[in-house]
Amino acid sequence: MRHRNSLVALFVGIIFLGGCATKVDLYKYKDVSSTQIVDDSKANYKVVKPKLQRNIVVENYSDPSFTGTISDYFLAANNMKGIFTVTESEGYRIRLSLKNLGHTRIYHPSVLVTNKEKSYYTRPYVSYNVSCSATAELNAPDGKKSYFEASYGYSFSSDPNNIWGGVSRERYLEALQETLDKLLRQIGNEVAPEALIVSKKVAIDDNKDYIFMINMGSQEGIRPEQKVSLYKDVIFKNEIDGETLNNKVLIGTATISDQVMAHYAWIVLDDDDHNTLIEVGDIVRPQY
């Protein structure tokens, strides 16, 4: 049987993640794969992580001092998520445009507060709203272009002892990091590689408890607790012109368990009712 065990993982830099690990004890399951991959193209199917050129072009319409930081932060975020393999000269090319990185402020004067016991004036303060917006142009090796945009903003109040202290560089970097992280996740979902279900197991003492192996692992950027989408490749014939068509039908989502190897991982469906629908050869795409 699967069970969950609490843990907290702290990643220094871009993101902080914590939660419960989806644990799988492989010794408590037996193989029930009713089919094997017999299609040559699928039998030799290897998941290839998309490549990204290291040289990221940055257009900065805000503070020029952040231009180099934008490229560094984007690559650091990718390193944490493992979406792209970064190369020197081949693969996807990205142009990042920083449209806005700034703040607004509102002065809040003293206010007289009166109650039954006493009257007093509140201390004046300044509230700041930091905002960032950016766009990305993704150029695929085949020449196809895709466009993405993201923004992030947050508010904070000034130090009562220094109400005109302003906005520090660290505050701007926080907004910039969050914006670039959003852009990277959007791009990742666009170029996510496809894997296959290659094995299916059921718990020895619970015939409703299934786990599934995919041919994608840590080397392809898969990590425990990541979400994936599962599709069934449906082939049908157009009765009008006789053309054979392929259509991917979404079955559901699953969670990566703690059993992650270099090129394989075990997953657990989020909806147990769909367990019997999944077969060897079905398609899996990671979510970012």
Side-chain angles (χ1 to χ4, degrees):
M1 289 287 290
R2 300 187 305 268
H3 60 90
R4 290 183 174 268
N5 181 35
S6 297
L7 61 82
V8 177
L10 174 63
F11 292 86
V12 179
I14 302 296
I15 53 175
F16 174 87
L17 296 175
C20 298
T22 303
K23 302 197 73 173
V24 165
D25 184 350
L26 296 178
Y27 291 102
K28 295 184 178 181
Y29 292 82
K30 61 181 179 180
D31 188 76
V32 290
S33 302
S34 59
T35 60
Q36 293 184 347
I37 299 176
V38 294
D39 186 331
D40 289 339
S41 63
K42 285 190 174 182
N44 298 314
Y45 186 87
K46 298 297 181 184
V47 179
V48 179
K49 188 192 298 187
K51 296 180 180 180
L52 173 68
Q53 291 188 22
R54 184 182 300 275
N55 183 26
I56 296 176
V57 178
V58 177
E59 295 177 341
N60 191 345
Y61 300 101
S62 187
D63 188 341
S65 66
F66 286 93
T67 299
T69 305
I70 294 170
S71 177
D72 292 342
Y73 275 14
F74 189 86
L75 291 174
N78 174 69
N79 186 53
M80 294 293 291
K81 286 184 168 54
I83 296 175
F84 289 98
T85 295
V86 180
T87 64
E88 296 300 328
S89 60
E90 59 180 345
Y92 287 87
R93 291 178 292 111
I94 288 183
R95 178 186 297 272
L96 296 174
S97 298
L98 183 64
K99 300 298 184 181
N100 169 61
L101 183 61
H103 74 273
T104 58
R105 67 185 183 186
I106 301 175
Y107 174 70
H108 304 266
S110 297
V111 176
L112 176 62
V113 177
T114 303
N115 54 41
K116 294 181 179 180
E117 298 179 355
K118 60 180 180 179
S119 297
Y120 62 94
Y121 282 94
T122 61
R123 299 183 69 172
Y125 69 96
V126 175
S127 62
Y128 294 89
N129 182 269
V130 181
S131 60
C132 179
S133 62
T135 61
E137 178 185 292
L138 179 69
N139 295 278
D142 62 3
K144 177 185 176 183
K145 293 185 178 182
S146 303
Y147 300 90
F148 309 87
E149 60 179 340
S151 60
Y152 179 81
Y154 70 98
S155 301
F156 71 95
S157 298
S158 61
D159 182 343
N161 297 316
N162 183 21
I163 64 173
W164 300 107
V167 179
S168 66
R169 182 179 177 86
E170 287 70 24
R171 296 278 188 180
Y172 288 126
L173 290 178
E174 179 181 347
L176 180 60
Q177 285 179 342
E178 293 290 343
T179 302
L180 294 176
D181 188 66
K182 284 185 175 182
L183 276 179
L184 179 61
R185 283 189 279 115
Q186 291 178 30
I187 294 171
N189 289 328
E190 174 81 8
V191 302
E194 291 183 347
L196 299 175
I197 298 290
V198 295
S199 182
K200 178 178 179 180
K201 290 180 180 289
V202 66
I204 296 173
D205 59 355
D206 185 352
N207 61 9
K208 295 183 179 179
D209 184 4
Y210 286 80
I211 57 175
F212 305 87
M213 177 184 275
I214 63 174
N215 61 338
M216 180 184 289
S218 59
Q219 293 299 306
E220 289 76 39
I222 291 297
R223 62 188 186 278
E225 295 306 299
Q226 184 175 3
K227 294 293 184 181
V228 296
S229 299
L230 292 92
Y231 301 85
K232 193 170 288 290
D233 198 3
V234 178
I235 301 176
F236 60 96
K237 187 175 183 180
N238 189 324
E239 298 298 337
I240 298 177
D241 56 18
E243 183 180 1
T244 300
L245 302 174
N246 285 56
N247 189 26
K248 294 176 184 175
V249 178
L250 177 65
I251 303 172
T253 61
T255 302
I256 303 295
S257 74
D258 62 332
Q259 299 293 327
V260 179
M261 295 149 280
H263 298 290
Y264 296 92
W266 287 95
I267 66 174
V268 178
L269 259 64
D270 295 329
D271 187 347
D272 291 346
D273 292 340
H274 292 155
N275 277 335
T276 56
L277 299 177
I278 305 300
E279 296 294 345
V280 170
D282 286 342
I283 300 168
V284 180
R285 292 196 73 188
Q287 296 179 4
Y288 296 105

